[in-house]
Amino acid sequence: MPRPPAPAAPFPWRLSRELAGLLPPPRPRTSWERKRRDPRAPSRGPLAQCRPSLRSPPSPPEGVYHLAVAPAPEPPKEESGGLPGRRAWKTGTDPVFAAPPLAGALPESSLGLLGGPDQGSQRKLGLSEQGRTLTTQVPEAGAPTCADPQPAHPTPLPKTASGWSFQKHSGANPATSSALTLDKKGICFQKIKALSDFKMPGDHIIAGLFPIHSVYDEVRLKPEVTLCERSNGFNQHGYHLFQAMRYAIEEINNSSSLLPNITLGYELYDACSKSANVYATLSILSQQSSNRIRIPENFFSYYPKAVAVIGPDNTELTSVSASLLSTFLVPQISYGATSMMFSDKWKYPSFLRTIPSDKHQVHTIVMLLKEFGWSWISAIGSDNDYGWLGLQLLEDLTTEQKICIAYKDFVPISAQPDDGVMQDMMLSITNSGTTVVVVFCDKGLAHVFFKAVVLRNVTNKVWLGTEAWSISTYITQVPGVSRIGTVIGVAIRQRQILGLTAFEEAYIRAKKASESAAEPAQNGDHHICNQHLPFTADITSELSSSSMNAAYSVYTAVYAVARGLHQLLGCPSGVCATGRIYPWQLLEEIKKVNFILHGNTVSFNKYGDPVSGYDIITWDWNGPNWTFKVIGASTWYPDRLEIDGTKILWHQEKNQVPRSVCSEECQAGAARRIVGLHHCCFECILCTAGTFLNQSDQYTCQPCQKDEWSPEGSQTCFNRTVEFLPWHHPVSLVLMGANTLLLLLLAGVASLFAWHLDTPVVRSAGGRMCFLMLGSLAGAGCSPYCFLGEPTALTCLLQQSLFALGFAVFLSCLTIRSFQLVFIFKLSAKKPTLYHSWVQNHGPGIFVATSSTIQLLICITWLVAWTPWPTKEYNRFPELVVLECSRAGSPGYMLSILYTWLLSISCFTWSYLGKDLPENYNEAKCITFSLLLYFISWIGLVTTFSVYQGKYLPAINALVIMSSLSGVFSGYFLPKCYVILCRPDLNTTEYFQASIQDYTQRCNSS
């Protein structure tokens, strides 16, 4: 559908700036160059004392004329709210454009069109523009041409000068009358290199560097500056940026609140190449008074042509200009240089930018890779600073995030889509096995790259783009690019400059009208005199999203400078100070700006970077028509990504998110073992029990802590269960009951024996020694209680030593009892002297005391040298921590057990020797049974310890002790209790004497 007509726009440029020389001759500014100021404004501060003196311009040579601009005879009234001395007009909703009241001729620094003397004829073209009429005056024959010699210095043209003349009227009363002169052959650029649109005088000059032409493969054999206007590559994108700066300054100059009595001027340069960029930077740094760059001892009072610089647009050009400008601390605000190296304030102290740093862009790309689980990627960069630094940071960050770059390469500056380098690159991308390709190229090399992609039919990929090309129509116009796969890009947040399109449309209409009025070049002089024609031919005012974003960055940069000036000149008080300011003063104010521009906050962080964010976009093709959709956004401080994946049209079946991994994820609890060079290629190994796989390290199974455990293939560890035999456990209750019953029986037997102490049974059992034997058994019987409950230091000391000592005392008594019986019945008659000596010297008591003392010393040594303490046992069960007493098998303990066994064997031996004694004195059977039970119990304990390490080991140990005590108790004392209680007829002296007589008869008969 046709585009609706644009609203009426004011004349888009001031005719006071048509053509200017790159380095015009020095001349002080005249009064008309500055905006008329309020005479009532007070002089404030040192800046008010810096106003330069005014001098008349030098007399011009004859025959060369400049543009003359004079006020109309009947100027319109000033609008309310306007500035004093400013003539302004509006049309509809257009921004206000104003021209200062001019009187006399323009200075050389703002003009440059050369023309001949007036011949007096005039014609009207009749071009009407909503109330404005464009008229021209036709020069007569005899006017000098471009080939004629020209004086070195152009001179002012009288107000009545004739030649080509443009006049603008508003209704019946023209607001201004402007004239510019041409020669017969057209607009002459023979000696003047810059268009008048590139320069406008003002109180403070802002310089701009824009790529209005494109120079590819600049190869210079001589140290000379590239002539940008001779290039055939007109850059529409750079043209829009150029107009955005002009529009911003026009808007600021017509603002009553921002710099109210200050006029901003500009000098714009075509930075089409490296040499042109260097020349422009040096020109900006030159001083107005001498057109030279002076290197003083300090730069506090250095005053170059411009107080600030906007641009250039890429890292390569910016690195040169920033190094030069930073030396003089001239503020430089770039609208397109994204390299993170400019954040280094040691190297680039005066550099700022209105576009985010690549550091944040790379962070955003890495967050995208993490969001979709892409860990196996290819990375392509442009073979310049932009690509080198971008891919280096990408490689660093992806390594930190466990993302592998399978293939990395750079597109050469001189690459062609069908050359061998690009074909090899396409083959490597295909063979790398990656689905995702990060393209970190500038727009020009990205164009070459995607042509090669289409040529080699590299499809079904996900292409991640940077802000340099992600929404550029220059890339989407590559034939066949719609078939390459899914494109997701990082883009500068979409911004609009209201009025810029109307401004450009008005400019184009006026330019085309002026070109149609000019006669074409003759005799092959087209390339000499009409070099502005490539600049205006085929210009369109339609801005792509990419161009509008960049234009907004330029627009923001200009406003940042204006805001800094506003604060530096004290404008918040209502009237700005006049006079000279120095760039380093302005730099400090620009760093501190913080304002709202069209609803967006403009400020800079300590690195000179804007506080902003990115849009995440995806390409959307509807047949041959391309557009893009915003699917998310990213911010930083902290880094955060929000994205709606449902808006993405993937190239996979069923719109599935593509996978881009070298190896599929391992199952839970399986570690990765790297295969090859990249950590993203691996095989999976299940973690063993007692280890776990931490999410922070997918390549190592880490052991659990000492108090933790884990099963096989675990991703975490669990706390071990603390295990011991508590008092309330059923097994403990049973053991306590049985052991208490045993102690009660011992006490009962002791009472019974005390009651029948003088009876033959008690005396034959040992008499009073029986109480020592029962007491030692009772002491040993307290040992099982020490195995129950949580171990303590006291229970650990007593649980084994108490039984060892008590049982040794009992066995000593039992051994000496068995020995006495054998000695009395078998050796007393043969060795009466020995027997009497044994009895008189208290042999039994000495033996028991000596034997018990030996065991006591063993126990003391054991407890001192190998002191058992409560300890936690971790190795027995993976999921349990067993609380027990340490050093259960210490040498001291083993020695005490060995001594106990020695007493047991000795007792068994003497009892066996007395197996033929009288029945009332024959203890062989009972002692054999008791000791046999004791031996079996301890053999069973050792066997159990070797095959079972459960929590019931203390209970088993207590049970063995109780069985040993019960065995000797039941084998030795219960038969005697039976006789005392149940067979009192056998507990008489007569019965015992009869048994002894019977034994004597048997011995004599044998």
Side-chain angles (χ1 to χ4, degrees):
M1 59 183 297
R3 187 177 8 172
F11 207 70
W13 78 94
R14 298 187 181 191
L15 293 177
S16 61
R17 37 183 164 86
E18 290 301 331
L19 290 177
L22 290 178
L23 290 175
R27 186 198 53 77
R29 295 187 300 164
T30 56
S31 59
W32 70 269
E33 292 179 74
R34 296 185 296 273
K35 202 178 298 182
R36 185 181 301 165
R37 298 175 176 83
D38 189 348
R40 297 170 296 178
S43 175
R44 304 188 308 281
L47 295 178
Q49 310 300 326
C50 300
R51 189 169 184 171
S53 61
L54 304 179
R55 294 183 297 172
S56 300
S59 299
E62 295 182 358
V64 181
Y65 302 95
H66 275 239
L67 168 66
V69 181
E74 297 180 8
K77 296 181 180 180
E78 296 179 1
E79 292 189 358
S80 60
L83 299 177
R86 176 173 291 173
R87 307 181 189 279
W89 60 87
K90 281 188 178 180
T91 302
T93 60
D94 291 342
V96 176
F97 299 94
L102 306 178
L106 299 182
E108 303 92 350
S109 62
S110 63
L111 305 176
L113 280 177
L114 306 181
D118 179 21
Q119 301 298 327
S121 64
Q122 182 176 7
R123 71 181 180 184
K124 178 173 286 189
L125 296 179
L127 301 177
S128 178
E129 188 177 274
Q130 294 194 11
R132 303 181 180 85
T133 303
L134 180 64
T135 64
T136 66
Q137 294 178 351
V138 182
E140 298 294 338
T145 66
C146 292
D148 297 332
Q150 301 294 340
H153 300 281
T155 58
L157 179 71
K159 289 195 291 183
T160 59
S162 63
W164 290 102
S165 175
F166 292 103
Q167 294 182 344
K168 179 176 66 67
H169 302 277
S170 179
N173 299 320
T176 60
S177 177
S178 305
L180 61 90
T181 59
L182 305 166
D183 70 354
K184 287 174 115 179
K185 295 185 179 181
I187 303 176
C188 183
F189 288 80
Q190 185 174 8
K191 294 186 177 181
I192 306 302
K193 302 299 183 184
L195 294 172
S196 62
D197 300 332
F198 285 71
K199 182 175 292 189
M200 186 180 78
D203 297 298
H204 302 286
I205 302 299
I206 304 176
L209 305 175
F210 304 103
I212 299 175
H213 293 85
S214 298
V215 176
Y216 301 104
D217 302 329
E218 181 190 19
V219 178
R220 298 181 301 131
L221 302 179
K222 297 180 181 180
E224 57 186 9
V225 179
T226 304
L227 297 178
C228 297
E229 64 270 17
R230 292 185 179 178
S231 168
N232 293 324
F234 175 67
N235 189 334
Q236 287 270 13
H237 178 75
Y239 162 77
H240 293 307
L241 308 184
F242 162 86
Q243 293 290 23
M245 180 166 176
R246 298 179 67 237
Y247 175 73
I249 290 183
E250 293 283 3
E251 201 173 59
I252 293 167
N253 284 343
N254 287 277
S255 171
S256 60
S257 59
L258 183 60
L259 298 173
N261 60 308
I262 296 295
T263 299
L264 293 180
Y266 56 74
E267 285 196 13
L268 308 181
Y269 296 86
D270 188 355
C272 66
S273 65
K274 296 178 183 177
S275 59
N277 177 65
V278 172
Y279 175 80
T281 305
L282 295 176
S283 177
I284 293 166
L285 288 173
S286 64
Q287 294 179 298
Q288 290 185 349
S289 59
S290 63
N291 281 334
R292 297 176 181 176
I293 299 177
R294 183 172 58 88
I295 307 299
E297 292 183 2
N298 63 70
F299 301 98
F300 289 102
S301 59
Y302 191 83
Y303 189 69
K305 282 183 182 179
V307 295
V309 179
I310 308 299
D313 72 322
N314 61 55
T315 297
E316 196 167 13
L317 299 183
T318 302
S319 62
V320 176
S321 59
S323 298
L324 294 171
L325 295 171
S326 292
T327 303
F328 296 84
L329 286 183
V330 176
Q332 179 185 12
I333 305 181
S334 177
Y335 51 85
T338 58
S339 174
M340 65 286 291
M341 71 180 182
F342 297 118
S343 297
D344 186 351
K345 295 298 106 177
W346 288 102
K347 292 183 179 180
Y348 306 101
S350 65
F351 180 86
L352 304 99
R353 52 185 158 197
T354 53
I355 187 172
S357 166
D358 282 338
K359 175 182 178 181
H360 304 299
Q361 180 169 217
V362 174
H363 274 282
T364 300
I365 291 175
V366 173
M367 286 192 291
L368 273 172
L369 296 173
K370 295 287 288 182
E371 176 73 18
F372 293 107
W374 295 326
S375 61
W376 187 243
I377 66 172
S378 294
I380 305 297
S382 52
D383 195 12
N384 52 26
D385 288 344
Y386 179 75
W388 297 333
L389 297 176
L391 285 198
Q392 180 60 52
L393 182 60
L394 178 67
E395 195 168 16
D396 293 341
L397 292 182
T398 51
T399 301
E400 292 177 4
Q401 298 296 328
K402 309 303 181 184
I403 298 172
C404 298
I405 299 179
Y407 173 70
K408 181 179 75 170
D409 206 347
F410 297 92
V411 181
I413 300 297
S414 59
Q416 296 298 323
D418 56 351
D419 63 19
V421 173
M422 298 306 296
Q423 291 183 13
D424 292 342
M425 186 182 297
M426 297 303 108
L427 184 62
S428 297
I429 291 175
T430 303
N431 294 337
S432 67
T434 60
T435 306
V436 177
V437 183
V438 178
V439 183
F440 213 100
C441 296
D442 56 43
K443 184 164 52 178
L445 293 180
H447 184 83
V448 175
F449 174 78
F450 282 107
K451 276 190 172 181
V453 168
V454 174
L455 184 64
R456 297 291 297 179
N457 196 30
V458 181
T459 59
N460 296 327
K461 302 287 185 183
V462 177
W463 310 90
L464 296 186
T466 63
E467 52 79 26
W469 64 266
S470 61
I471 59 174
S472 173
T473 54
Y474 184 54
I475 307 299
T476 59
Q477 289 170 358
V478 173
V481 75
S482 61
R483 302 190 302 271
I484 63 174
T486 303
V487 177
I488 301 174
V490 178
I492 305 300
R493 287 186 172 174
Q494 303 302 299
R495 301 285 188 261
Q496 298 289 328
I497 305 177
L498 302 178
L500 179 59
T501 303
F503 180 82
E504 291 192 7
E505 289 175 349
Y507 175 83
I508 293 170
R509 287 194 295 270
K511 271 292 184 182
K512 288 183 177 179
S514 67
E515 291 166 6
S516 64
E519 293 184 8
Q522 302 294 332
N523 301 325
D525 291 335
H526 175 85
H527 292 291
I528 297 177
C529 292
N530 291 339
Q531 290 179 16
H532 81 294
L533 292 179
F535 178 78
T536 57
D538 300 326
I539 292 178
T540 174
S541 61
E542 183 177 354
L543 278 78
S544 66
S545 297
S546 177
S547 293
M548 179 58 82
N549 281 349
Y552 185 86
S553 295
V554 174
Y555 183 77
T556 303
V558 176
Y559 264 89
V561 174
R563 288 283 179 173
L565 276 170
H566 191 81
Q567 294 296 323
L568 182 61
L569 298 175
C571 300
S573 64
V575 181
C576 301
T578 58
R580 177 173 294 184
I581 64 168
Y582 296 103
W584 64 270
Q585 295 173 314
L586 177 59
L587 175 62
E588 294 305 312
E589 294 299 330
I590 295 176
K591 290 179 179 179
K592 296 184 288 187
V593 298
N594 193 337
F595 60 95
I596 304 297
L597 184 63
H598 297 325
N600 303 307
T601 301
V602 179
S603 63
F604 301 99
N605 62 16
K606 63 180 180 180
Y607 303 109
D609 299 330
V611 181
S612 181
Y614 288 107
D615 283 338
I616 309 300
I617 62 96
T618 183
W619 286 8
D620 188 12
W621 292 92
N622 184 11
N625 300 320
W626 171 86
T627 185
F628 66 88
K629 292 188 296 186
V630 177
I631 58 173
S634 72
T635 56
W636 45 86
Y637 305 125
D639 291 335
R640 184 173 60 186
L641 175 69
E642 296 178 358
I643 190 168
D644 185 0
T646 60
K647 294 182 179 180
I648 303 175
L649 184 61
W650 302 105
H651 59 273
Q652 300 276 12
E653 293 183 2
K654 299 182 181 180
N655 203 35
Q656 294 293 318
V657 178
R659 299 280 295 163
S660 187
V661 296
C662 181
S663 300
E664 291 297 332
E665 289 292 328
C666 295
Q667 70 180 60
R672 302 173 180 178
R673 186 169 67 183
I674 296 175
V675 177
L677 299 177
H678 296 281
H679 63 264
C680 297
C681 302
F682 49 83
E683 61 183 10
C684 301
I685 301 175
L686 205 64
C687 290
T688 59
T691 64
F692 72 103
L693 188 67
N694 197 331
Q695 295 299 323
S696 61
D697 182 7
Q698 296 288 328
Y699 300 90
T700 306
C701 294
Q702 300 181 9
C704 295
Q705 297 294 326
K706 202 171 185 179
D707 291 326
E708 297 176 335
W709 75 285
S710 66
E712 186 181 43
S714 178
Q715 290 182 292
T716 185
C717 291
F718 307 96
N719 291 328
R720 290 190 179 193
T721 302
V722 178
E723 195 75 19
F724 60 92
L725 196 62
W727 292 98
H728 59 272
H729 193 277
V731 174
S732 299
L733 296 176
V734 171
L735 291 176
M736 285 191 296
N739 196 65
T740 303
L741 178 61
L742 176 61
L743 294 178
L744 292 176
L745 287 176
L746 291 173
V749 170
S751 300
L752 181 64
F753 275 35
W755 185 261
H756 299 87
L757 182 60
D758 295 330
T759 61
V761 171
V762 175
R763 285 185 299 174
S764 65
R768 297 184 183 276
M769 186 179 291
C770 291
F771 299 107
L772 178 59
M773 297 171 67
L774 291 172
S776 63
L777 290 179
C782 294
S783 177
Y785 294 112
C786 297
F787 288 93
L788 307 180
E790 183 176 356
T792 63
L794 180 62
T795 57
C796 286
L797 290 172
L798 296 180
Q799 63 180 202
Q800 295 288 358
S801 59
L802 195 62
F803 167 75
L805 183 59
F807 201 66
V809 172
F810 172 79
L811 289 178
S812 298
C813 295
L814 189 59
T815 300
I816 199 61
R817 176 61 184 158
S818 300
F819 170 77
Q820 280 187 298
L821 290 176
V822 172
F823 191 70
I824 292 171
F825 281 99
K826 293 186 176 183
L827 297 178
S828 60
K830 298 178 181 179
K831 304 283 185 181
T833 305
L834 182 62
Y835 174 75
H836 289 296
S837 177
W838 170 261
V839 174
Q840 291 176 357
N841 294 315
H842 308 287
I846 294 174
F847 176 80
V848 171
T850 302
S851 177
S852 301
T853 301
I854 292 173
Q855 182 70 315
L856 178 63
L857 292 176
I858 292 174
C859 290
I860 292 174
T861 303
W862 160 33
L863 297 180
V864 171
W866 299 278
T867 307
W869 293 103
T871 187
K872 295 180 179 179
E873 206 288 325
Y874 295 97
N875 299 324
R876 196 172 299 163
F877 304 101
E879 71 278 8
L880 299 178
V881 177
V882 179
L883 296 182
E884 62 180 12
C885 295
S886 64
R887 300 177 177 179
S890 64
Y893 171 71
M894 299 304 297
L895 183 61
S896 68
I897 295 298
L898 181 62
Y899 184 74
T900 304
W901 278 51
L902 180 61
L903 290 177
S904 301
I905 294 172
S906 175
C907 180
F908 177 78
T909 302
W910 289 113
S911 62
Y912 180 78
L913 292 175
K915 66 181 185 298
D916 56 347
L917 296 180
E919 184 178 357
N920 292 340
Y921 298 94
N922 190 347
E923 310 289 348
K925 295 180 180 179
C926 296
I927 292 177
T928 300
F929 170 78
S930 302
L931 295 180
L932 185 61
L933 183 60
Y934 166 73
F935 289 138
I936 292 174
S937 299
W938 283 93
I939 291 173
L941 177 64
V942 173
T943 304
T944 303
F945 264 89
S946 63
V947 298
Y948 176 72
Q949 296 292 324
K951 69 175 182 178
Y952 296 108
L953 279 179
I956 294 173
N957 211 326
L959 183 62
V960 168
I961 291 174
M962 290 173 58
S963 64
S964 301
L965 297 176
S966 300
V968 294
F969 168 74
S970 59
Y972 188 78
F973 288 102
L974 287 184
K976 296 172 174 54
C977 292
Y978 173 78
V979 171
I980 294 173
L981 295 176
C982 300
R983 298 293 301 272
D985 56 311
L986 301 180
N987 190 17
T988 61
T989 304
E990 293 78 10
Y991 178 76
F992 274 84
Q993 288 179 349
S995 296
I996 294 172
Q997 291 176 359
D998 180 62
Y999 171 76
T1000 303
Q1001 291 176 359
R1002 282 190 288 109
C1003 290
N1004 293 330
S1005 63
S1006 62

